[in-house]
Amino acid sequence: MHDFDIRIMFQIIGALLYITNFLLLQTHRIHATKPASLLLVISACSILLTAAIIGHDWGLILLEGTWLFLVTTTFAIRQRSARRQAVLEREAEASAVMPVRSAPVVEPVHAPVARELELAGAAA
């Protein structure tokens, strides 16, 4: 009888996370680029990478390490984009709420009237 191997447990948990993500994607409950899906894949990659490192499986280390890097990069880019979009929405909302102050309307004054006003101001 084999002793309990932690690697087998890691492999089963990682595979179940990948399968869960796949099923959720196929049933259209999540989208591939949404944080929920990316976090499932990151978790599965991390767990399978740990199992590969424990077992010195160099091919799987390379595969899971590369996959983890790509998915983590995608997650970071999506998060940064979402934060930027939220800031832009807040700025647009703030500018829509605050009234824009316009300069006072000054009607043109004809030259003779302006001269009379100037002289009237000097006399006072």
Side-chain angles (χ1 to χ4, degrees):
M1 185 114 185
H2 292 290
D3 290 330
F4 176 74
D5 189 5
I6 192 80
R7 285 181 48 224
I8 293 173
M9 186 180 74
F10 282 155
Q11 291 171 353
I12 290 171
I13 292 171
L16 287 175
L17 287 173
Y18 272 133
I19 292 168
T20 301
N21 185 55
F22 177 76
L23 290 174
L24 290 172
L25 288 171
Q26 292 302 308
T27 57
H28 302 288
R29 294 183 185 196
I30 60 175
H31 293 85
T33 56
K34 297 295 181 183
S37 177
L38 294 172
L39 288 173
L40 271 172
V41 173
I42 288 171
S43 300
C45 284
S46 300
I47 292 169
L48 289 174
L49 182 61
T50 301
I53 290 171
I54 291 171
H56 303 288
D57 297 327
W58 294 106
L60 192 57
I61 290 171
L62 182 60
L63 177 67
E64 290 298 328
T66 303
W67 188 241
L68 182 62
F69 174 75
L70 293 174
V71 174
T72 304
T73 302
T74 301
F75 181 74
I77 290 169
R78 294 284 176 177
Q79 290 299 101
R80 184 176 48 185
S81 175
R83 274 182 284 180
R84 185 177 299 139
Q85 183 66 30
V87 168
L88 291 175
E89 287 173 2
R90 278 195 308 263
E91 288 176 355
E93 191 176 288
S95 67
V97 171
M98 294 176 57
V100 178
R101 294 186 185 193
S102 60
V105 177
V106 178
E107 295 188 22
V109 178
H110 297 291
V113 175
R115 180 74 179 145
E116 286 178 22
L117 289 175
E118 190 176 301
L119 290 176

